[in-house]
Amino acid sequence: MTSNPYSAHARHYVSVDCVIFSYENDELKVLLYPRSFEPYVGKWSLLGGFVENDETLGDAARRVLFNTTGLRNIYQEQVHAFSDINRDPAGRVISVAYYALIRISQQDNVLVKEHGACWWPISELPELVFDHAKMVERSLLRLQKKAGSELIGKELLGDTFTITNLKKLYEAIFQHDIDAGNFRKKILSLAVLHNTGIKDKSESKKGAFLYRYTNHLEDQMSLSPIVK
Amino acid sequence: MTSNPYSAHARHYVSVDCVIFSYENDELKVLLYPRSFEPYVGKWSLLGGFVENDETLGDAARRVLFNTTGLRNIYQEQVHAFSDINRDPAGRVISVAYYALIRISQQDNVLVKEHGACWWPISELPELVFDHAKMVERSLLRLQKKAGSELIGKELLGDTFTITNLKKLYEAIFQHDIDAGNFRKKILSLAVLHNTGIKDKSESKKGAFLYRYTNHLEDQMSLSPIVK
DNA sequence: ACAAAAGTGTTTAGATTACACCCATGA
DNA sequence: TCATGGGTGTAATCTAAACACTTTTGT
């Protein structure tokens, strides 16, 4: 350890903090928990953990995700590394933010409750510890960029969904209304969804067709934006 | 140190690696140097350095930039954190890539030479150590995204420049030809450039007007892409 | 005079937007 | 029957892209 060529340099605690998004009741939500240890016991925090010697940043984020939701193979993306010297008053910690997309119905409720974690609507977040508010803000921007340039939905909705479900998800992500007719045409023109022929009558009397992703084409990028 | 609440966790060497871009002879270039210490002495590498206790990642990137080019107040942007466990065979180092934009004419040539650093055209890079090729690739993608959604040029060109200078810069960044007439109209429609009235005759007999950024409006985002 | 870069104008194809309108059905 | 979401059609507007054409001037 001390004989390695880099030993003259400082070493740092490195952590990951996960902005875990889900979608419920027409709202985009973020998983938060009341911090159980000093500093800031009781204040709301993202779910995070330290990076150990045998894992990458991505591994650590997956571990945090598994420990708190019971889920594996979750879509996640690195957002940004935060390194202000006093971002954590208890010690110098460099933290890398990740965002993840999960279906709220798939989580392990017991585990989530064990941590005292709660889902907060993105538009009504409480005050967060450290720089976690910045992490959420950047993550939302990244999610918007992603959703604007390719069709997302698989991760946050079920396997099948109506165009209206998808429209409401996009409205929740972009926090503004979208024209229903234009959205429908745009989405279908991408030719990545396939009509199952099954009608979902849970949201309207007429019923709306359920669609499913055609997986034979890998997620197709749309050159022109889906939503601005 | 050992009594802090996080002492049960591993600590890591953290470094920054800078993808320093410049523009010369109609080409986008990257600054590289032949590594002077093990492992991989003599192989080409990005310019990097370890993050010490009293500095942020951005500070460390600025320090590397200053030490190698003599420049301060350089545009830089964090790109991505790389953390594969064996990315550096000499030890576990988590490295955060930054890209920076400098004017080649402003650098301190003595300093650059002291490091044996050279400018390599982006299209003809040599083999790089570790995961540095990935860092360059991601940085170029980020630069393309930035240049595609807002007008850049101030950082890589001089204070004033012709529309043709700018077009050639964009061609170097995007590695494809751009229609001169359409580009000119697009750029001028953004209304962020102001004609100085001075003609530059160095590139043509007719001479082309030099433009300057109007700084009273902070860099304006263009909703529709400048170049795809 | 002519080559070469600077700069303008025109035309077409396609995308975006707003919005009118029909459809199906449960209450 | 009527309110409600589902779904289609259309016209006005904007943008991108291709390309023809004019201007200027050093050689």
Side-chain angles (χ1 to χ4, degrees), chain B residues 4 13 22 26 34 42-43 52 57 59 103 116 129 132 147 154 160 164 180 182-183 188 194 218 222 225:
Chain B
N4 94 34
Y13 297 110
S22 74
D26 303 348
K43 279 200 72 178
E52 304 300 343
L57 291 163
D59 292 338
R103 293 191 221 168
V129 298
H132 287 194
K154 205 199 296 270
T160 60
T164 304
N182 293 337
F183 182 78
L188 294 178
H194 146 250
E218 262 317 298
S222 142

Side-chain angles (χ1 to χ4, degrees), chain B residues 5-25:
Chain B
Y6 305 143
S7 58
H9 298 285
R11 288 186 300 148
H12 308 274
Y13 297 110
V14 177
S15 68
V16 294
D17 286 301
C18 298
V19 180
I20 308 176
F21 287 116
S22 74
Y23 174 69
E24 194 185 32
N25 296 131

Side-chain angles (χ1 to χ4, degrees), chain A residues 121-193:
Chain A
I122 187 83
S123 54
E124 300 160 27
L125 293 182
E127 207 181 323
L128 299 178
V129 296
F130 309 160
D131 44 15
H132 287 193
K134 273 194 226 166
M135 292 180 174
V136 174
E137 193 189 338
R138 265 189 191 261
S139 295
L140 179 60
L141 285 173
R142 280 287 274 277
L143 177 58
Q144 288 178 345
K145 247 187 198 166
K146 183 182 164 67
S149 64
E150 74 195 83
L151 189 57
I152 67 164
K154 206 199 295 268
E155 292 88 0
L156 290 165
L157 303 169
D159 236 24
T160 61
F161 44 83
T162 67
I163 302 293
T164 303
N165 292 155
L166 198 58
K167 167 177 172 273
K168 284 183 178 164
L169 170 61
Y170 267 77
E171 288 175 334
I173 291 174
F174 285 93
Q175 320 231 38
H176 64 72
D177 289 349
I178 300 170
D179 180 280
N182 293 337
F183 183 78
R184 160 173 265 104
K185 273 175 289 183
K186 177 83 194 177
I187 297 306
L188 295 178
S189 77
L190 299 175
V192 295
L193 294 185

Side-chain angles (χ1 to χ4, degrees), chain B residues 164 184-185 203-204 206-209:
Chain B
T164 304
R184 160 174 264 103
K185 273 175 286 181
E203 311 248 333
S204 74
K206 182 177 175 184
F209 283 114

